[in-house]
Amino acid sequence: MSAGNVPRPPALRASLTAAVAAVALLLASCSVGTEPDVTTSADPQIVGDVPAELRDFYTQAVTWSSCNGGFQCAEVEVPLDYDAPKTDSIKISAIRLPASGNKMGSMLVNPGGPGGSGVNMVKDGARSYFSDKLRKSYDVVGFDPRGVQRSAGVKCLSDEQMDASRQLSFDLSNDADFARAQAESRKQSELCVQNSGDVLEHVDTASSARDMDILRAVVGDKALNYMGFSYGTKLGATYAGLFPERVGKFSLDGAMDPTLDIDQVSMGQAVGFENALGAWVEDCLSGADCPVTGTKEQALGQIRSLQEIYTQTPQQTPQNRVVTGTEFTNAIAFAMYSTDLWEPLKGALAQAVAGDASGMLLLTDYSADRDPEGRYNSNTAAAFTAINCLDYPMNSDLAHMREQSKLLQEAAPTFGGLLGYSGLSCTGWPHEPTGTLEPIAAAGAGPILVIGTTGDPATPYQWSKALAGQLDSGVLVSWEGEGHTAYGRANECLTSLVDAYFVDGTVPASGTSC
């Protein structure tokens, strides 16, 4: 089975929220207004017991300035290296939508990734994504984690280099092609080092979790209230493990299981996306104008035959670009994130069957945050790689990767080839991984909601069950639906339950299903 461009770590793909935010054609940066609101976190009751060398960060004065029509923007200074906090610092970009009613506190949000922008999530979707009840009671605060976009963003490839990389195609079962892919990955790693600087060594999830505790103090909350999606659940769980006594209201939606290694993550996602495609096929066959026909298995076979055509002969588009087998598969995977994308996939596949790759190119460009003018409007791909290379040990042994790829393709014929060869992605990476694969109990924390979607392709439902079981105070809530994550796109049952938890303090019974 051949694969397309150099594989990147398959874990923790950005949530739908991050993906939708990324396709915006113009992502305006925070513009400074004329009436700054200065807040300080000097109150010892708010700051809590922190190391002396970090106290200046916790007690810094931060200027929140009006921006983007009703929002407030700020930059918060944090240590570059928490092991040597006095040596250097970086700034975390944040935005907040002030509470419209009686404010109970602030709620930090993270859309996932890793590499998703919390600033974009709030700026582009806070008024529609979060309920009126939540927005009346909480300042909704988005931030770009370290290494992401505005917060000392990691930089690897130029837009032109990104385009060129996505046009590459390798047959990784072939030794010569594997060597070419390995060299390409090493070259990209070198560019990350050249273009990113010292921050590249310090974009791990644990450091971002420590940044969140400084943000908690800066916004003036004794306990952190947080809503994290997809990878944002790993970030939130990491925070809870480090600071259980400072956990306020926590919702971890579309959960990661922190005990899984990269091969286990790949397998879970491969099967998850395969199941989601099966659900899409069943829905497509039951309606009109479905581009595939016959039984479910026959229809899946038609999609895989088309996939193989793109793999063997990347297809030219009127835009003078080609769609490789990997990009074809990425387009399908992207559409599995939300049932709202099922109809666009139907149209794109109909075009592909007719010999026109334009629709598949559009979907895969949306997934890659590329606009029609050729601009990549985020650094999600670079941050995704940089964070995962620190968080996960990667096994780059060729025999191991080929065996893992074989197992993936047996379990998930459509997506297994996309999610193999994870070890290639960190070839030439200059920094050793620092992440640990251990359960997180967060002993002493208050009730933490863990929300799982039964048909979630990117963070399979079993992962939410696992995290809820690991957390001493985990409360599992299930949404019986398709797509990635739940809040903001699920039903009234789920929305009301989460809102009542955050606003009224009502903790649902663990095992509640919507």
Side-chain angles (χ1 to χ4, degrees):
M1 175 80 175
S2 22
N5 31 312
V6 178
R8 288 296 164 195
L12 324 177
R13 291 181 64 103
S15 69
L16 176 67
T17 307
V20 170
V23 305
L25 299 185
L26 294 175
L27 298 178
S29 60
C30 294
S31 56
V32 177
T34 56
E35 298 181 3
D37 173 16
V38 180
T39 183
T40 183
S41 56
D43 184 349
Q45 294 300 315
I46 295 298
V47 172
D49 184 16
V50 300
E53 62 269 24
L54 295 178
R55 183 158 290 276
D56 286 348
F57 294 103
Y58 277 84
T59 59
Q60 65 185 287
V62 172
T63 301
W64 293 87
S65 302
S66 60
C67 62
N68 298 298
F71 295 87
Q72 296 174 334
C73 293
E75 289 187 328
V76 178
E77 190 174 7
V78 299
L80 173 66
D81 181 358
Y82 277 89
D83 289 333
K86 296 294 187 180
T87 57
D88 202 357
S89 65
I90 57 174
K91 290 186 176 179
I92 301 299
S93 180
I95 187 172
R96 68 183 179 189
L97 180 64
S100 60
N102 294 325
K103 176 181 171 181
M104 296 176 60
S106 296
M107 180 181 70
L108 270 64
V109 299
N110 179 275
S117 166
V119 171
N120 289 348
M121 182 187 193
V122 171
K123 175 173 66 68
D124 297 333
R127 292 188 175 97
S128 59
Y129 202 83
F130 302 102
S131 71
D132 288 343
K133 184 172 182 175
L134 268 186
R135 288 187 287 106
K136 285 179 181 178
S137 300
Y138 287 92
D139 290 350
V140 180
V141 181
F143 65 100
D144 288 354
R146 55 174 57 215
V148 175
Q149 207 151 329
R150 305 165 184 84
S151 298
V154 170
K155 175 72 174 176
C156 295
L157 306 183
S158 67
D159 290 348
E160 294 75 16
Q161 289 169 328
M162 276 287 291
D163 269 356
S165 175
R166 292 175 58 210
Q167 304 287 283
L168 295 174
S169 184
F170 303 105
D171 180 356
L172 296 175
S173 66
N174 176 286
D175 287 352
D177 256 20
F178 179 84
R180 288 177 52 231
Q182 197 172 43
E184 179 66 22
S185 185
R186 184 174 288 107
K187 182 181 76 173
Q188 292 188 19
S189 294
E190 291 170 353
L191 289 170
C192 292
V193 173
Q194 293 172 18
N195 297 328
S196 300
D198 293 340
V199 73
L200 201 64
E201 187 178 0
H202 302 288
V203 294
D204 56 287
T205 295
S207 292
S208 289
R210 290 182 172 92
D211 294 342
M212 288 206 304
D213 199 50
I214 292 175
L215 288 168
R216 169 199 62 80
V218 163
V219 299
D221 284 351
K222 189 173 182 179
L224 177 68
N225 303 301
Y226 177 76
M227 188 178 286
F229 301 86
S230 194
Y231 162 79
T233 68
K234 180 181 179 180
L235 179 59
T238 300
Y239 178 93
L242 290 170
F243 307 104
E245 74 283 359
R246 296 174 191 166
V247 169
K249 300 294 194 302
F250 257 52
S251 170
L252 306 179
D253 189 336
M256 295 297 305
D257 178 350
T259 68
L260 300 183
D261 65 28
I262 201 70
D263 290 341
Q264 293 169 314
V265 169
S266 298
M267 182 61 74
Q269 290 191 319
V271 173
F273 279 102
E274 202 74 33
N275 291 339
L277 180 59
W280 177 86
V281 165
E282 290 177 342
D283 181 78
C284 185
L285 291 173
S286 69
D289 302 320
C290 185
V292 291
T293 59
T295 66
K296 175 181 174 181
E297 286 307 315
Q298 288 171 334
L300 287 169
Q302 293 160 28
I303 293 172
R304 291 169 193 150
S305 295
L306 194 58
Q307 177 189 44
E308 186 63 18
I309 291 173
Y310 277 72
T311 298
Q312 296 299 329
T313 308
Q315 299 294 295
Q316 192 76 30
T317 68
Q319 295 84 0
N320 199 33
R321 295 166 62 207
V322 299
V323 178
T324 65
T326 294
E327 294 302 296
F328 178 90
T329 312
N330 271 330
I332 298 175
F334 176 67
M336 297 301 100
Y337 276 73
S338 172
T339 53
D340 290 342
L341 295 170
W342 284 15
E343 194 68 23
L345 176 61
K346 183 190 293 187
L349 277 176
Q351 287 181 300
V353 169
D356 181 358
S358 298
M360 302 305 285
L361 179 66
L362 181 64
L363 284 174
T364 194
D365 275 351
Y366 280 1
S367 176
D369 301 344
R370 184 191 190 273
D371 70 26
E373 284 70 48
R375 293 186 298 264
Y376 288 84
N377 292 308
S378 75
N379 75 330
T380 300
F384 182 93
T385 299
I387 295 167
N388 277 344
C389 285
L390 290 179
D391 278 1
Y392 287 92
M394 298 285 177
N395 189 335
S396 59
D397 176 73
L398 178 56
H400 170 84
M401 288 192 289
R402 284 191 171 152
E403 177 62 22
Q404 177 68 7
S405 180
K406 178 184 176 182
L407 293 173
L408 285 168
Q409 291 174 57
E410 290 173 353
T414 314
F415 296 99
L418 177 70
L419 294 172
Y421 292 90
S422 301
L424 263 181
S425 55
C426 300
T427 299
W429 206 256
H431 307 296
E432 292 296 316
T434 57
T436 58
L437 306 178
E438 299 174 349
I440 297 174
I448 297 174
L449 295 191
V450 181
I451 302 173
T453 299
T454 55
D456 195 318
T459 52
Y461 178 67
Q462 294 88 339
W463 295 357
S464 291
K465 291 178 67 176
L467 180 60
Q470 292 166 30
L471 292 166
D472 280 5
S473 57
V475 177
L476 178 66
V477 175
S478 305
W479 177 47
E480 297 178 8
E482 299 292 335
H484 186 36
T485 72
Y487 188 88
R489 52 178 297 272
N491 54 21
E492 179 60 28
C493 166
L494 191 284
T495 301
S496 298
L497 184 149
V498 174
D499 288 355
Y501 165 75
F502 272 93
V503 178
D504 305 323
T506 303
V507 180
S510 190
T512 298
S513 182
C514 287

